PDB file of all heavy atoms in Angstrom:
ATOM      1  N   PRO H 382      -0.039  14.328   5.600  1.00  0.00           N
ATOM      2  CA  PRO H 382       1.270  14.412   6.190  1.00  0.00           C
ATOM      3  C   PRO H 382       1.385  13.283   7.328  1.00  0.00           C
ATOM      4  O   PRO H 382       0.426  13.120   8.010  1.00  0.00           O
ATOM      5  CB  PRO H 382       1.292  15.753   6.780  1.00  0.00           C
ATOM      6  CG  PRO H 382      -0.158  16.268   6.938  1.00  0.00           C
ATOM      7  CD  PRO H 382      -0.905  15.462   5.867  1.00  0.00           C
ATOM      8  N   THR H 383       2.605  12.771   7.460  1.00  0.00           N
ATOM      9  CA  THR H 383       2.810  11.766   8.448  1.00  0.00           C
ATOM     10  C   THR H 383       3.001  12.398   9.845  1.00  0.00           C
ATOM     11  O   THR H 383       3.686  13.367   9.942  1.00  0.00           O
ATOM     12  CB  THR H 383       4.132  10.963   8.163  1.00  0.00           C
ATOM     13  OG1 THR H 383       4.146  10.678   6.887  1.00  0.00           O
ATOM     14  CG2 THR H 383       4.273   9.735   8.893  1.00  0.00           C
ATOM     15  N   GLU H 402     -13.562  13.903  45.525  1.00  0.00           N
ATOM     16  CA  GLU H 402     -14.819  13.227  45.083  1.00  0.00           C
ATOM     17  C   GLU H 402     -15.948  13.484  46.087  1.00  0.00           C
ATOM     18  O   GLU H 402     -17.078  13.787  45.735  1.00  0.00           O
ATOM     19  CB  GLU H 402     -14.580  11.708  45.004  1.00  0.00           C
ATOM     20  CG  GLU H 402     -13.540  11.346  43.995  1.00  0.00           C
ATOM     21  CD  GLU H 402     -14.075  10.626  42.752  1.00  0.00           C
ATOM     22  OE1 GLU H 402     -15.423  10.956  42.559  1.00  0.00           O
ATOM     23  OE2 GLU H 402     -13.410  10.029  42.011  1.00  0.00           O
ATOM     24  N   ALA H 410     -25.339  16.545  46.007  1.00  0.00           N
ATOM     25  CA  ALA H 410     -26.578  16.095  46.816  1.00  0.00           C
ATOM     26  C   ALA H 410     -27.246  17.215  47.372  1.00  0.00           C
ATOM     27  O   ALA H 410     -28.507  17.185  47.389  1.00  0.00           O
ATOM     28  CB  ALA H 410     -25.954  15.140  47.857  1.00  0.00           C
ATOM     29  N   LEU H 412     -27.540  20.186  46.054  1.00  0.00           N
ATOM     30  CA  LEU H 412     -28.323  20.794  44.965  1.00  0.00           C
ATOM     31  C   LEU H 412     -29.608  19.975  44.611  1.00  0.00           C
ATOM     32  O   LEU H 412     -30.641  20.513  44.356  1.00  0.00           O
ATOM     33  CB  LEU H 412     -27.483  20.882  43.759  1.00  0.00           C
ATOM     34  CG  LEU H 412     -26.371  22.043  43.892  1.00  0.00           C
ATOM     35  CD1 LEU H 412     -25.357  21.912  42.680  1.00  0.00           C
ATOM     36  CD2 LEU H 412     -26.991  23.385  43.829  1.00  0.00           C
ATOM     37  N   HIS H 423     -15.990  29.497  49.411  1.00  0.00           N
ATOM     38  CA  HIS H 423     -14.585  29.280  48.617  1.00  0.00           C
ATOM     39  C   HIS H 423     -14.861  28.257  47.560  1.00  0.00           C
ATOM     40  O   HIS H 423     -15.881  27.438  47.537  1.00  0.00           O
ATOM     41  CB  HIS H 423     -13.624  28.931  49.539  1.00  0.00           C
ATOM     42  CG  HIS H 423     -13.040  30.095  50.270  1.00  0.00           C
ATOM     43  ND1 HIS H 423     -12.082  29.949  51.217  1.00  0.00           N
ATOM     44  CD2 HIS H 423     -13.313  31.353  50.279  1.00  0.00           C
ATOM     45  CE1 HIS H 423     -11.810  31.187  51.687  1.00  0.00           C
ATOM     46  NE2 HIS H 423     -12.569  32.122  51.201  1.00  0.00           N
ATOM     47  N   VAL H 432     -15.889  24.100  39.417  1.00  0.00           N
ATOM     48  CA  VAL H 432     -16.638  25.196  39.892  1.00  0.00           C
ATOM     49  C   VAL H 432     -17.693  25.627  38.908  1.00  0.00           C
ATOM     50  O   VAL H 432     -18.955  25.803  39.323  1.00  0.00           O
ATOM     51  CB  VAL H 432     -15.763  26.327  40.275  1.00  0.00           C
ATOM     52  CG1 VAL H 432     -16.481  27.611  40.575  1.00  0.00           C
ATOM     53  CG2 VAL H 432     -14.891  25.892  41.503  1.00  0.00           C
ATOM     54  N   VAL H 441     -23.891  28.612  44.273  1.00  0.00           N
ATOM     55  CA  VAL H 441     -23.316  30.052  44.363  1.00  0.00           C
ATOM     56  C   VAL H 441     -22.073  30.081  45.258  1.00  0.00           C
ATOM     57  O   VAL H 441     -22.095  29.701  46.477  1.00  0.00           O
ATOM     58  CB  VAL H 441     -24.421  31.020  44.853  1.00  0.00           C
ATOM     59  CG1 VAL H 441     -23.836  32.438  44.962  1.00  0.00           C
ATOM     60  CG2 VAL H 441     -25.681  30.868  44.135  1.00  0.00           C
ATOM     61  N   GLY H 461     -11.286  22.816  54.372  1.00  0.00           N
ATOM     62  CA  GLY H 461     -11.639  23.095  55.749  1.00  0.00           C
ATOM     63  C   GLY H 461     -11.609  24.581  56.116  1.00  0.00           C
ATOM     64  O   GLY H 461     -11.221  25.415  55.399  1.00  0.00           O
ATOM     65  N   GLU H 465     -13.660  29.914  63.724  1.00  0.00           N
ATOM     66  CA  GLU H 465     -14.340  31.228  63.598  1.00  0.00           C
ATOM     67  C   GLU H 465     -15.408  31.210  62.544  1.00  0.00           C
ATOM     68  O   GLU H 465     -16.570  31.757  62.675  1.00  0.00           O
ATOM     69  CB  GLU H 465     -13.413  32.296  63.379  1.00  0.00           C
ATOM     70  CG  GLU H 465     -13.830  33.631  63.490  1.00  0.00           C
ATOM     71  CD  GLU H 465     -12.882  34.751  62.972  1.00  0.00           C
ATOM     72  OE1 GLU H 465     -11.910  34.353  62.312  1.00  0.00           O
ATOM     73  OE2 GLU H 465     -13.170  35.837  63.120  1.00  0.00           O
ATOM     74  N   ALA H 470     -21.317  31.037  61.072  1.00  0.00           N
ATOM     75  CA  ALA H 470     -22.507  30.439  60.473  1.00  0.00           C
ATOM     76  C   ALA H 470     -23.569  30.094  61.573  1.00  0.00           C
ATOM     77  O   ALA H 470     -24.753  30.309  61.320  1.00  0.00           O
ATOM     78  CB  ALA H 470     -22.036  29.193  59.694  1.00  0.00           C
ATOM     79  N   HIS H 474     -27.529  31.185  62.484  1.00  0.00           N
ATOM     80  CA  HIS H 474     -28.446  30.111  62.377  1.00  0.00           C
ATOM     81  C   HIS H 474     -28.553  29.658  60.849  1.00  0.00           C
ATOM     82  O   HIS H 474     -29.606  29.239  60.518  1.00  0.00           O
ATOM     83  CB  HIS H 474     -29.836  30.626  62.987  1.00  0.00           C
ATOM     84  CG  HIS H 474     -29.783  31.142  64.376  1.00  0.00           C
ATOM     85  ND1 HIS H 474     -29.453  30.349  65.324  1.00  0.00           N
ATOM     86  CD2 HIS H 474     -29.960  32.448  64.715  1.00  0.00           C
ATOM     87  CE1 HIS H 474     -29.486  31.103  66.516  1.00  0.00           C
ATOM     88  NE2 HIS H 474     -29.732  32.327  66.119  1.00  0.00           N
ATOM     89  N   ASP H 479     -20.509  20.303  55.978  1.00  0.00           N
ATOM     90  CA  ASP H 479     -19.009  20.470  56.008  1.00  0.00           C
ATOM     91  C   ASP H 479     -18.396  19.515  55.024  1.00  0.00           C
ATOM     92  O   ASP H 479     -18.477  18.248  55.265  1.00  0.00           O
ATOM     93  CB  ASP H 479     -18.564  20.204  57.402  1.00  0.00           C
ATOM     94  CG  ASP H 479     -17.122  20.571  57.646  1.00  0.00           C
ATOM     95  OD1 ASP H 479     -16.452  20.961  56.621  1.00  0.00           O
ATOM     96  OD2 ASP H 479     -16.618  20.494  58.775  1.00  0.00           O
ATOM     97  N   GLU H 491      -5.432  17.126  65.455  1.00  0.00           N
ATOM     98  CA  GLU H 491      -4.055  17.014  65.893  1.00  0.00           C
ATOM     99  C   GLU H 491      -3.603  18.384  66.482  1.00  0.00           C
ATOM    100  O   GLU H 491      -3.094  18.362  67.613  1.00  0.00           O
ATOM    101  CB  GLU H 491      -3.004  16.593  64.915  1.00  0.00           C
ATOM    102  CG  GLU H 491      -2.599  15.284  64.675  1.00  0.00           C
ATOM    103  CD  GLU H 491      -2.068  15.092  63.339  1.00  0.00           C
ATOM    104  OE1 GLU H 491      -1.509  16.046  62.726  1.00  0.00           O
ATOM    105  OE2 GLU H 491      -2.211  13.902  62.864  1.00  0.00           O
ATOM    106  N   VAL H 513      -4.347  25.997  55.075  1.00  0.00           N
ATOM    107  CA  VAL H 513      -3.546  26.493  56.208  1.00  0.00           C
ATOM    108  C   VAL H 513      -4.230  27.521  57.144  1.00  0.00           C
ATOM    109  O   VAL H 513      -4.204  27.355  58.342  1.00  0.00           O
ATOM    110  CB  VAL H 513      -2.233  27.135  55.576  1.00  0.00           C
ATOM    111  CG1 VAL H 513      -1.560  27.918  56.636  1.00  0.00           C
ATOM    112  CG2 VAL H 513      -1.367  26.003  54.980  1.00  0.00           C
ATOM    113  N   GLN H 519      -7.785  26.597  64.184  1.00  0.00           N
ATOM    114  CA  GLN H 519      -8.280  25.708  65.136  1.00  0.00           C
ATOM    115  C   GLN H 519      -7.809  25.965  66.566  1.00  0.00           C
ATOM    116  O   GLN H 519      -8.409  25.477  67.528  1.00  0.00           O
ATOM    117  CB  GLN H 519      -7.766  24.239  64.762  1.00  0.00           C
ATOM    118  CG  GLN H 519      -8.251  23.845  63.439  1.00  0.00           C
ATOM    119  CD  GLN H 519      -9.751  23.886  63.170  1.00  0.00           C
ATOM    120  OE1 GLN H 519     -10.525  23.297  63.990  1.00  0.00           O
ATOM    121  NE2 GLN H 519     -10.176  24.611  62.196  1.00  0.00           N
ATOM    122  N   ALA H 524      -0.677  30.006  70.055  1.00  0.00           N
ATOM    123  CA  ALA H 524      -0.296  28.547  70.308  1.00  0.00           C
ATOM    124  C   ALA H 524       0.152  27.890  69.012  1.00  0.00           C
ATOM    125  O   ALA H 524       0.515  26.665  69.099  1.00  0.00           O
ATOM    126  CB  ALA H 524      -1.454  27.841  70.883  1.00  0.00           C
ATOM    127  N   ALA H 573       7.433  16.756  68.982  1.00  0.00           N
ATOM    128  CA  ALA H 573       6.451  15.662  68.903  1.00  0.00           C
ATOM    129  C   ALA H 573       5.850  15.663  67.497  1.00  0.00           C
ATOM    130  O   ALA H 573       5.571  16.644  66.835  1.00  0.00           O
ATOM    131  CB  ALA H 573       5.233  15.906  69.880  1.00  0.00           C
ATOM    132  N   ARG H 587       0.482  10.677  44.114  1.00  0.00           N
ATOM    133  CA  ARG H 587       0.687  11.372  42.897  1.00  0.00           C
ATOM    134  C   ARG H 587       2.076  11.868  42.684  1.00  0.00           C
ATOM    135  O   ARG H 587       2.646  11.813  41.544  1.00  0.00           O
ATOM    136  CB  ARG H 587      -0.293  12.610  42.790  1.00  0.00           C
ATOM    137  CG  ARG H 587      -1.698  12.066  42.362  1.00  0.00           C
ATOM    138  CD  ARG H 587      -2.797  12.973  42.934  1.00  0.00           C
ATOM    139  NE  ARG H 587      -4.086  12.194  42.806  1.00  0.00           N
ATOM    140  CZ  ARG H 587      -4.450  11.097  43.416  1.00  0.00           C
ATOM    141  NH1 ARG H 587      -3.719  10.501  44.244  1.00  0.00           N
ATOM    142  NH2 ARG H 587      -5.593  10.473  43.183  1.00  0.00           N
ATOM    143  N   ALA H 590       4.084   8.759  41.570  1.00  0.00           N
ATOM    144  CA  ALA H 590       3.843   8.465  40.170  1.00  0.00           C
ATOM    145  C   ALA H 590       4.666   9.473  39.242  1.00  0.00           C
ATOM    146  O   ALA H 590       5.188   9.035  38.168  1.00  0.00           O
ATOM    147  CB  ALA H 590       2.344   8.546  39.870  1.00  0.00           C
ATOM    148  N   ALA H 598      10.929  11.292  30.870  1.00  0.00           N
ATOM    149  CA  ALA H 598      10.117  12.220  29.988  1.00  0.00           C
ATOM    150  C   ALA H 598      11.033  13.471  29.512  1.00  0.00           C
ATOM    151  O   ALA H 598      11.724  14.006  30.340  1.00  0.00           O
ATOM    152  CB  ALA H 598       8.849  12.747  30.775  1.00  0.00           C
ATOM    153  N   GLY H 623      14.644  15.934  37.430  1.00  0.00           N
ATOM    154  CA  GLY H 623      15.510  16.070  36.219  1.00  0.00           C
ATOM    155  C   GLY H 623      14.652  16.190  34.989  1.00  0.00           C
ATOM    156  O   GLY H 623      15.238  16.301  33.879  1.00  0.00           O
ATOM    157  N   PHE H 638       2.242  24.049  21.844  1.00  0.00           N
ATOM    158  CA  PHE H 638       2.808  23.067  20.882  1.00  0.00           C
ATOM    159  C   PHE H 638       4.138  23.386  20.455  1.00  0.00           C
ATOM    160  O   PHE H 638       4.984  22.552  20.133  1.00  0.00           O
ATOM    161  CB  PHE H 638       1.803  22.826  19.741  1.00  0.00           C
ATOM    162  CG  PHE H 638       0.705  22.028  20.101  1.00  0.00           C
ATOM    163  CD1 PHE H 638      -0.609  22.687  20.384  1.00  0.00           C
ATOM    164  CD2 PHE H 638       0.747  20.749  20.295  1.00  0.00           C
ATOM    165  CE1 PHE H 638      -1.706  21.883  20.751  1.00  0.00           C
ATOM    166  CE2 PHE H 638      -0.356  19.878  20.649  1.00  0.00           C
ATOM    167  CZ  PHE H 638      -1.580  20.543  20.849  1.00  0.00           C
ATOM    168  N   ALA H 653      -4.874  16.545  42.344  1.00  0.00           N
ATOM    169  CA  ALA H 653      -6.074  15.895  42.958  1.00  0.00           C
ATOM    170  C   ALA H 653      -7.399  16.562  42.805  1.00  0.00           C
ATOM    171  O   ALA H 653      -8.424  15.802  43.040  1.00  0.00           O
ATOM    172  CB  ALA H 653      -5.687  15.777  44.460  1.00  0.00           C
ATOM    173  N   PHE H 671      -0.073  14.366  16.632  1.00  0.00           N
ATOM    174  CA  PHE H 671       1.049  13.357  16.829  1.00  0.00           C
ATOM    175  C   PHE H 671       0.407  11.906  16.694  1.00  0.00           C
ATOM    176  O   PHE H 671      -0.784  11.739  16.828  1.00  0.00           O
ATOM    177  CB  PHE H 671       1.562  13.397  18.271  1.00  0.00           C
ATOM    178  CG  PHE H 671       2.330  14.757  18.494  1.00  0.00           C
ATOM    179  CD1 PHE H 671       1.661  15.759  19.234  1.00  0.00           C
ATOM    180  CD2 PHE H 671       3.696  15.047  18.127  1.00  0.00           C
ATOM    181  CE1 PHE H 671       2.250  16.986  19.505  1.00  0.00           C
ATOM    182  CE2 PHE H 671       4.189  16.232  18.357  1.00  0.00           C
ATOM    183  CZ  PHE H 671       3.553  17.120  19.083  1.00  0.00           C
ATOM    184  N   VAL H 680       1.920   3.245  39.650  1.00  0.00           N
ATOM    185  CA  VAL H 680       2.825   2.982  40.677  1.00  0.00           C
ATOM    186  C   VAL H 680       2.091   2.426  41.979  1.00  0.00           C
ATOM    187  O   VAL H 680       2.644   1.876  42.853  1.00  0.00           O
ATOM    188  CB  VAL H 680       3.672   4.182  41.194  1.00  0.00           C
ATOM    189  CG1 VAL H 680       4.524   4.708  40.155  1.00  0.00           C
ATOM    190  CG2 VAL H 680       2.677   5.224  41.710  1.00  0.00           C
ATOM    191  N   GLU H 682      -2.270   1.303  43.320  1.00  0.00           N
ATOM    192  CA  GLU H 682      -3.655   1.292  43.189  1.00  0.00           C
ATOM    193  C   GLU H 682      -4.295   1.971  44.185  1.00  0.00           C
ATOM    194  O   GLU H 682      -3.803   1.970  45.378  1.00  0.00           O
ATOM    195  CB  GLU H 682      -4.304  -0.217  43.181  1.00  0.00           C
ATOM    196  CG  GLU H 682      -3.665  -1.144  42.099  1.00  0.00           C
ATOM    197  CD  GLU H 682      -4.208  -0.878  40.699  1.00  0.00           C
ATOM    198  OE1 GLU H 682      -5.243  -0.042  40.615  1.00  0.00           O
ATOM    199  OE2 GLU H 682      -3.519  -1.389  39.682  1.00  0.00           O
ATOM    200  N   SER H 688     -17.023   8.391  53.146  1.00  0.00           N
ATOM    201  CA  SER H 688     -18.480   8.437  53.105  1.00  0.00           C
ATOM    202  C   SER H 688     -19.060   9.758  53.381  1.00  0.00           C
ATOM    203  O   SER H 688     -18.379  10.764  53.746  1.00  0.00           O
ATOM    204  CB  SER H 688     -19.028   7.483  54.371  1.00  0.00           C
ATOM    205  OG  SER H 688     -18.357   7.886  55.482  1.00  0.00           O
ATOM    206  N   VAL H 694     -27.247  10.990  53.400  1.00  0.00           N
ATOM    207  CA  VAL H 694     -27.308   9.604  53.009  1.00  0.00           C
ATOM    208  C   VAL H 694     -28.774   9.071  53.525  1.00  0.00           C
ATOM    209  O   VAL H 694     -29.073   9.165  54.709  1.00  0.00           O
ATOM    210  CB  VAL H 694     -26.298   8.711  53.679  1.00  0.00           C
ATOM    211  CG1 VAL H 694     -26.490   7.254  53.184  1.00  0.00           C
ATOM    212  CG2 VAL H 694     -24.958   9.237  53.296  1.00  0.00           C
TER     213      VAL H 694
END
Side-chain angles (χ1 to χ4, degrees):
T383 316
E402 296 257 19
L412 288 167
H423 286 177
V432 167
V441 179
E465 188 192 9
H474 306 292
D479 191 355
E491 264 163 25
V513 165
Q519 299 306 308
R587 280 150 193 69
F638 282 101
F671 300 96
V680 299
E682 301 288 345
S688 52
V694 184

